[in-house]
Amino acid sequence: MALSATLHTFTVQLADVDRGVYEDLELRVARHPSETAEFMLTRLLAYCLEYTDGITFSEGGVSSTDEPAVLVRDLTGRVTAWIEVGAPDAERLHRGSKLAGRAAVYTHRDPVKVLAQLTGKRIHRGADIPVYSFDRAFIDAALPAIDRRNTVTVSITERELFLELNGTSLSTPVAEHHIG
């Protein structure tokens, strides 16, 4: 019998001072059995940091081969932002960058290793694709606070992310790197 996804509910208060985005969000995140908690948390943070009208999690989650973890569509359904999580391969990032007006990567992994696997590969507008990383200690400290139902406050000021997750308060810089 195949394992099913575990549903996590996140009630998020988002305050992105850098972009002037202030929203209250109710998110239901399905965690696929093969998805790590680190990946799910990074996916949630990418969604918050990229939040705009038309943003969604991909329908297939980590098992989707045709969509990124997070994407943004305009009112016509055209993909305008392709947001990968983790360590995407160059071909997938190339395809997403060509399809969307904008692409980005959010990673919980070592950014040096992620960049090394992408450098020198054929990626459409690769130099323009930001790779954002979170401090590993931040991710590790947040994981024990994740539950099935979560209350979250995400604040971003001058690329510093402040997270309160079920009473656990943490912060990390959101480091920006570039391919090449």
Side-chain angles (χ1 to χ4, degrees), residues 29-102:
V29 179
R31 181 177 166 201
H32 190 272
S34 67
E35 181 178 8
T36 65
E38 293 92 339
F39 188 95
M40 182 185 71
L41 177 60
T42 305
R43 189 162 55 107
L44 173 73
L45 295 174
Y47 184 100
C48 291
L49 289 163
E50 294 287 334
Y51 185 81
T52 190
D53 288 338
I55 194 166
T56 61
F57 291 113
S58 71
E59 290 184 29
V62 296
S63 61
S64 175
T65 57
D66 297 334
E67 293 183 338
V70 178
L71 67 144
V72 179
R73 295 183 188 274
D74 66 14
L75 294 174
T76 67
R78 185 177 66 87
V79 176
T80 59
W82 183 278
I83 313 302
E84 291 284 357
V85 171
D89 66 25
E91 181 180 319
R92 185 176 167 96
L93 200 51
H94 172 76
R95 185 177 67 239
S97 180
K98 284 182 76 171
L99 177 68
R102 179 175 175 281

Side-chain angles (χ1 to χ4, degrees), residues 78-128:
R78 185 177 66 87
V79 176
T80 59
W82 183 278
I83 313 302
E84 291 284 357
V85 171
D89 66 25
E91 181 180 319
R92 185 176 167 96
L93 200 51
H94 172 76
R95 185 177 67 239
S97 180
K98 284 182 76 171
L99 177 68
R102 179 175 175 281
V105 176
Y106 286 83
T107 190
H108 55 286
R109 298 183 178 187
D110 180 351
V112 172
K113 291 179 181 175
V114 173
L115 291 169
Q117 79 175 25
L118 298 173
T119 300
K121 302 284 174 57
R122 186 174 148 238
I123 301 173
H124 183 71
R125 295 188 331 252
D128 297 333

Side-chain angles (χ1 to χ4, degrees), residues 14-23 48-51 154-157 159:
L14 173 63
D16 188 336
V17 177
D18 294 348
R19 298 186 306 131
V21 175
Y22 304 92
E23 294 289 334
C48 291
L49 289 163
E50 294 287 334
Y51 185 81
V154 176
S155 301
I156 302 99
T157 304
R159 297 309 286 172

